Amino acid sequence: MKNANRQLIFIFITILIDVIGLGIIIPVIPKLIQELSGQGLSEASQYGGWLMFSYAIMQFLFSPILGGLSDKFGRRPVLLISLFGLGIDYIFMAWAPSMSWLFLGRIIAGVSGASFTTATAYIADISEPEKRAQNFGLVGAAFGLGFIIGPVVGGISAQWGARIPFMAASVLTLINFLYGYFFIPESLDCNNRRNFEWKRANPVSSLLNLKRYPAVSSLAACHMLMYIASHAVQSNWSYYTMLKFSWNEAMVGYSLGFVGVLVSLVQGGLIRIVIPKIGQVKSIYAGLAFYAIGLLLFAFASSSWMMYAFLIPYCLGGLAGPALQGYISNHVPANEQGELQGALTSLISLTSIIGPVLMNGLFAYFTSAETPYYFPGAPFILASMMIVVSIFLAVKSFTQKKHQFPL
């Protein structure tokens, strides 16, 4: 148990540094796209959506492969490869002379981007079944703390140029690679490894494999809708706040830092109280309800302070993710956790193929000069509706008496 706690600390630090690197660049991506494309914010949001699309489609194709490889060779080598690829991506973005370079960097990062997939499989390896949901919350806590530090640093450093944050992110990520190389131990016992099979590693087969586990397949639609809806915030936050409230990069950074504080409180502390007290199923219901309310409020915010206030119910929605992931993980054998996490990442990547293009396209349409009805909050309305549908799907799933799991 003591060794498991030490490994959790190791993986928490690795994810934290990774997220800080990611958070540093978020406030300045709109400015860099505008600089390279010569377009305004509305048009830049579409480029931003396609950049996320190119990253996501590569993750969709390659995450099952890396997940399967981590089941054969262990988590550590796959984690190191993904960190190195992300560091190279930031170098491409820091020195990009054109939009095509940005897309090339995103493709490289998507091919090798399995750091979070491998981290969740790593946590599953070292966690007791009853503690997996709470330990998966550490991933959210690392995200939260990383988003306290990263976006604030990125927003402030942007005053020296849109490319400076990318340089900082590259250095930080490559330091993380070195940290992992020297300090992160292997988590997957040799007895729990399996042979790599191409049939199980392609993304379609990986998703179809979810049908083997009723709990996984029945909740897949709920999971998918939740992540598509999240792109109303993830893909549009900078563009929406800059256009509607005239925020600069520093203001975007401060707001995301506040998101980080809330996420850390919810997933680093509250989740460890709520899930054991009310259970995973009720935690999923509560989290989805908070998500729907928060998204709806964002759509009609009329002042900057409202965006901060409405982040509270939205971030309370963070109860749903770890509870859902823990519920699914508890019904999959130990030697298939990497494959499961790879399949879930493929599912999330599939939503990241759909989400940014859908939400950013909706934002661009309702903010363009030709729009028949100007309404920047349109993506949040659609996202809230998706979460409501996912609640009904979750209720239907949990009330069905199909809980014979192939363990």
Side-chain angles (χ1 to χ4, degrees):
M1 181 62 66
K2 188 175 182 180
N3 186 54
N5 288 336
R6 186 165 64 249
Q7 288 177 299
L8 280 173
I9 293 171
F10 282 147
I11 206 69
F12 175 82
I13 293 172
T14 298
I15 298 171
L16 173 62
I17 297 174
D18 206 9
V19 175
I20 289 173
L22 176 65
I24 284 174
I25 71 171
I26 291 177
V28 294
I29 286 178
K31 184 177 180 180
L32 182 60
I33 293 174
Q34 286 181 283
E35 181 182 304
L36 293 176
S37 67
Q39 303 290 330
L41 268 175
S42 183
E43 295 82 1
S45 69
Q46 287 188 300
Y47 280 108
W50 286 109
L51 277 172
M52 295 187 74
F53 170 89
S54 63
Y55 175 83
I57 198 166
M58 290 297 104
Q59 270 219 324
F60 175 70
L61 294 173
F62 285 91
S63 284
I65 296 175
L66 293 174
L69 289 173
S70 80
D71 281 339
K72 178 176 176 59
F73 298 108
R75 316 303 183 199
R76 185 175 178 274
V78 175
L79 183 61
L80 293 176
I81 289 170
S82 67
L83 291 174
F84 185 78
L86 189 60
I88 298 300
D89 167 47
Y90 290 142
I91 291 174
F92 267 87
M93 297 182 82
W95 299 100
S98 65
M99 287 298 301
S100 60
W101 276 64
L102 289 186
F103 280 99
L104 180 59
R106 288 282 80 190
I107 288 170
I108 292 172
V111 169
S112 59
S115 57
F116 299 121
T117 302
T118 311
T120 51
Y122 192 109
I123 291 171
D125 292 339
I126 63 175
S127 301
E128 297 295 329
E130 65 273 12
K131 291 188 176 181
R132 277 182 181 157
Q134 294 97 308
N135 288 342
F136 281 137
L138 284 175
V139 178
F143 263 90
L145 187 56
F147 270 93
I148 294 171
I149 301 169
V152 174
V153 172
I156 293 172
S157 63
Q159 63 183 306
W160 293 291
R163 297 171 188 267
I164 297 298
F166 293 95
M167 297 177 189
S170 177
V171 171
L172 196 59
T173 304
L174 293 176
I175 289 174
N176 196 14
F177 166 79
L178 293 175
Y179 171 82
Y181 182 83
F182 288 108
F183 296 105
I184 297 296
E186 181 54 62
S187 65
L188 185 63
D189 189 273
C190 291
N191 295 327
N192 288 329
R193 300 191 185 189
R194 66 173 179 85
N195 291 328
F196 178 81
E197 299 175 41
W198 280 106
K199 183 179 180 180
R200 296 172 68 174
N202 77 72
V204 176
S205 293
S206 181
L207 290 174
L208 291 176
N209 271 336
L210 295 175
K211 291 184 178 180
R212 296 171 58 206
Y213 311 103
V216 175
S217 60
S218 61
L219 291 172
C222 174
H223 208 59
M224 187 171 182
L225 283 173
M226 183 175 71
Y227 277 98
I228 292 175
S230 72
H231 281 280
V233 176
Q234 292 178 22
S235 302
N236 272 312
W237 185 265
S238 298
Y239 304 101
Y240 180 74
T241 54
M242 286 179 171
L243 184 67
K244 189 168 184 178
F245 305 111
S246 300
W247 287 7
N248 59 20
E249 291 83 2
M251 281 294 294
V252 172
Y254 297 145
S255 69
L256 293 175
F258 183 60
V259 171
V261 172
L262 294 175
V263 170
S264 293
L265 291 173
V266 172
Q267 300 204 8
L270 186 61
I271 203 168
R272 291 176 173 269
I273 300 171
V274 173
I275 291 180
K277 189 174 183 64
I278 69 173
Q280 292 176 342
V281 173
K282 289 182 179 178
S283 296
I284 292 168
Y285 290 153
L288 291 174
F290 279 122
Y291 267 141
I293 294 168
L295 287 163
L296 187 64
L297 291 173
F298 286 147
F300 297 101
S302 58
S303 301
S304 290
W305 70 265
M306 292 183 179
M307 295 301 287
Y308 281 87
F310 298 158
L311 279 170
I312 295 173
Y314 177 77
C315 289
L316 283 171
L319 291 169
L324 186 59
Q325 194 168 15
Y327 185 93
I328 291 171
S329 180
N330 285 344
H331 298 96
V332 174
N335 66 345
E336 296 182 11
Q337 287 294 329
E339 182 180 39
L340 169 68
Q341 301 304 332
L344 290 178
T345 299
S346 287
L347 184 65
I348 294 170
S349 296
L350 185 61
T351 68
S352 297
I353 293 169
I354 301 168
V357 175
L358 174 64
M359 298 302 180
N360 287 38
L362 200 62
F363 174 81
Y365 176 78
F366 281 99
T367 57
S368 68
E370 295 80 22
T371 185
Y373 182 73
Y374 183 84
F375 184 52
F380 298 117
I381 296 292
L382 177 61
S384 185
M385 292 169 63
M386 286 181 171
I387 295 296
V388 171
V389 173
S390 74
I391 293 173
F392 283 107
L393 290 174
V395 171
K396 181 181 178 181
S397 174
F398 290 129
T399 53
Q400 287 177 340
K401 297 180 179 179
K402 296 180 180 179
H403 297 295
Q404 300 299 318
F405 306 107
L407 290 179

